[in-house]
Amino acid sequence: HADVGGQAPGSMSLATEIYQEGLVVPPVKLLEAGKMNVDLLRLILANVRTPAEREGDLRAQLAANHRGVQRLQALVDPVGRAPLFTWMAELIGYAERATRTQIANLPEGRYAAEDVLDDDGVDPSPVLLQVAVEIQGDHAVVDFAGSSAQRRGGVNAVYAITVSAVMYVFRSLIGAEVPFNSGCLRPITIHAPAGSVLNAEPPAAVAAGNVETSQRIVDVLLRALSSAAPGRIPAASQGTMNNVTIGGYHPETGEPYTYYETIAGGAGGHPRRAGASAIHTHMTNTLNTPVEALEFTYPLRVQRYAIRRGSGGAGRQPGGDGVIREIELLAPATVSLLTDRRRSAPYGLDGGESGSPGRNILSEGVESVELLGKAKVEVSPGACLRIETPGGGGHGPTRG
């Protein structure tokens, strides 16, 4: 959802507690026995800036779930519940066996690494992530002890985000096409201290924990496993989603709008191939917004969209390049940024060089200022926001 309320359009601002990030909805039923809870829907829509869009999204989610019910019922009808549940259990068991086999192929031992987020958006000091991976036969223990305590800014991750990022990394190591289900997690024990930035407690702000800290969990875990699986682990990719939210009132209709996108960057060089340029990597799970769609819908104009040549780290297998995206604002607006790798660079591996950090630049008239990685600014018509995304790290020493 592009906006769920909170202190800034897009709900992705410099919050210091979760209440500033938007409406908090506990587990309640929006639909029960086929009947819409109209009062709950009205409550939600009264707390967002673009209620028509949000209602459309919620109804689309309901429709998707309804379709899921139909398709599951179509599986049950021919055979009954018992055989279907047996097959479901077998799929989970198959994923578990595949994961255990992959872990068992790694050398036993302890593999450690650390990395940092640039800051939390409030305190300028880096946010430390530490991990130690213990391989014990076909079981892995992933311990994040030593990572920073939860911070005032919104880079805190809830435990589920940490688990998801760990599961993603180990699932990527399997290689074969196996179901992505809870069986992948059974051979892995995860420790993330309560009250840390990777297992934050309420009322911590957590929006950037989902979109930015998840990326760094992947980075630090891959770095640790690169010693256990040489020849299989890439250097760091851009390590950020480059979250941009822009909101205000449309000058033609007077209606509020919110625009949210993530921007691609460089992938890390792999032992067997160069990193891809201008691509979304790891936890991003999104694609770019086409220029035509953006300009048609919002009072925005894309002035430039190009590959950021030379931003990938050098190496035998170089890192991919990031992108440059320049957006002109045609009406007054609030711009919020949740980005990272603006101070720290995506690391190279095995002698490869780091990728270039990203940059955020705001130009108004003849004046240009470099914005912090996490920022909220009010801008005037004609201002231009330039996002230069990081390149991926290189892998292996440069030949010659």
Side-chain angles (χ1 to χ4, degrees):
H1 292 269
D3 184 274
V4 292
Q7 66 180 358
S11 313
M12 300 278 284
S13 190
L14 301 181
T16 56
E17 58 180 359
I18 195 170
Y19 310 110
Q20 299 169 342
E21 295 180 323
L23 182 66
V24 178
V25 182
V28 290
K29 291 184 179 180
L30 184 60
L31 194 75
E32 185 169 8
K35 185 177 180 180
M36 177 73 75
N37 185 338
V38 178
D39 287 339
L40 176 59
L41 179 62
R42 290 176 59 203
L43 176 65
I44 294 172
L45 299 182
N47 282 276
V48 300
R49 294 173 176 83
T50 48
E53 285 185 9
R54 300 293 71 75
E55 181 173 4
D57 285 345
L58 285 168
R59 291 188 181 276
Q61 288 177 250
L62 289 171
N65 278 281
H66 180 65
R67 183 61 173 158
V69 169
Q70 291 177 325
R71 296 188 68 178
L72 185 58
Q73 192 65 50
L75 291 174
V76 173
D77 287 343
V79 297
R81 291 189 179 191
L84 185 64
F85 288 175
T86 298
W87 298 336
M88 288 178 171
E90 177 55 31
L91 283 174
I92 294 173
Y94 174 62
E96 177 184 357
R97 293 191 298 273
T99 307
R100 288 192 183 278
T101 298
Q102 188 58 60
I103 294 173
N105 288 334
L106 300 174
E108 290 197 345
R110 183 179 185 274
Y111 305 94
E114 65 178 45
D115 207 336
V116 295
L117 290 156
D118 293 339
D119 55 63
D120 68 2
V122 177
D123 183 337
S125 62
V127 181
L128 177 65
L129 271 66
Q130 289 187 327
V131 69
V133 182
E134 193 85 34
I135 304 297
Q136 306 165 348
D138 64 356
H139 183 256
V141 178
V142 180
D143 190 353
F144 290 100
S147 299
S148 290
Q150 66 186 61
R151 302 287 290 262
R152 286 188 64 213
V155 298
N156 305 294
V158 298
Y159 183 68
I161 292 296
T162 299
V163 170
S164 297
V166 172
M167 189 174 176
Y168 161 79
V169 169
F170 278 89
R171 171 63 183 80
S172 299
L173 279 175
I174 295 173
E177 288 296 326
V178 300
F180 196 10
N181 58 45
S182 60
C184 298
L185 202 56
R186 286 180 176 174
I188 306 167
T189 299
I190 303 170
H191 297 301
S196 73
V197 72
L198 300 180
N199 187 4
E201 298 178 323
V206 295
N210 180 22
V211 295
E212 292 301 292
T213 307
S214 62
Q215 293 278 43
R216 196 63 70 255
I217 296 170
V218 171
D219 284 346
V220 72
L221 191 52
L222 286 175
R223 194 172 202 171
L225 289 172
S226 66
S227 298
R232 297 176 56 195
I233 303 293
S237 296
Q238 69 161 336
T240 175
M241 297 191 193
N242 303 295
N243 303 273
V244 178
T245 53
I246 302 173
Y249 293 87
H250 200 290
E252 296 179 3
T253 65
E255 294 294 320
Y257 74 91
T258 56
Y259 170 66
Y260 169 49
E261 74 168 329
T262 63
I263 306 178
H270 188 274
R272 296 188 298 275
R273 57 186 176 274
S277 298
I279 190 170
H280 289 270
T281 53
H282 297 320
M283 309 304 290
T284 314
N285 198 33
T286 52
L287 300 174
N288 70 210
T289 301
V291 172
E292 297 84 355
L294 184 153
E295 294 186 341
F296 177 79
T297 308
Y298 305 103
L300 305 171
R301 180 182 293 127
V302 177
Q303 297 286 15
R304 187 180 182 193
Y305 193 23
I307 293 177
R308 187 186 176 201
R309 301 293 181 185
S311 56
R316 185 171 59 249
Q317 301 292 357
D321 290 329
V323 305
I324 298 172
R325 192 157 169 94
E326 292 184 6
I327 301 175
E328 180 185 1
L329 293 94
L330 306 180
T334 301
V335 174
S336 298
L337 302 174
L338 286 181
T339 67
D340 210 81
R341 292 296 198 200
R342 268 48 183 175
R343 297 175 184 168
S344 62
Y347 60 79
L349 278 180
D350 294 342
E353 296 183 12
S354 298
S356 298
R359 301 175 69 207
N360 306 325
I361 302 166
L362 180 66
S363 299
E364 296 189 88
V366 297
E367 300 291 330
S368 294
V369 59
E370 187 160 347
L371 301 175
L372 297 174
K374 300 165 187 66
K376 175 188 171 187
V377 292
E378 304 294 330
V379 299
S380 303
C384 188
L385 177 67
R386 176 186 175 105
I387 306 294
E388 299 180 3
T389 68
H395 197 290
T398 304
R399 291 172 178 167

